[in-house]
Amino acid sequence: MKYVKINDLFGEDDNKALEKEIKRTQKDNTPMKDLSRVIVETDEEEPRVLAVITNNMVEQASGILVREKPVYDD
């Protein structure tokens, strides 16, 4: 996998949509299941990997920040 540093990756509309999703899912306390990993990449002819996320590891490209939210006991 090719990791790259990304600057100004998202346009203004993307940022608004992502901020809306963060707010919408803020109180979601349901653990993800049936996934072994998540790969975040660009939507290009030759995609660039931005992050690889597993249950016990997060690896991201330079300039990309991945925040984790734990599952809290009710």
Side-chain angles (χ1 to χ4, degrees):
M1 289 183 227
K2 181 179 175 186
Y3 294 94
V4 296
K5 183 174 181 176
I6 306 294
N7 291 320
D8 300 321
L9 178 65
F10 302 114
E12 189 172 325
D13 290 339
D14 291 329
N15 283 333
K16 287 179 183 177
L18 291 169
E19 287 175 16
K20 185 177 177 180
E21 276 303 293
I22 289 171
K23 288 179 183 176
R24 186 184 71 77
T25 59
Q26 189 68 37
K27 294 185 180 184
D28 185 351
N29 198 39
T30 306
M32 295 188 327
K33 58 183 178 179
D34 301 327
L35 298 173
S36 62
R37 69 179 176 180
V38 175
I39 299 174
V40 181
E41 60 189 17
T42 59
D43 184 19
E44 301 172 316
E45 189 173 313
E46 293 185 30
R48 294 176 284 176
V49 176
L50 303 177
V52 178
I53 304 164
T54 66
N55 283 331
N56 59 1
M57 185 268 315
V58 175
E59 184 69 36
Q60 68 267 10
S62 298
I64 300 296
L65 176 65
V66 175
R67 296 186 305 170
E68 298 176 278
K69 179 183 176 282
V71 174
Y72 297 103
D73 294 334
D74 290 331

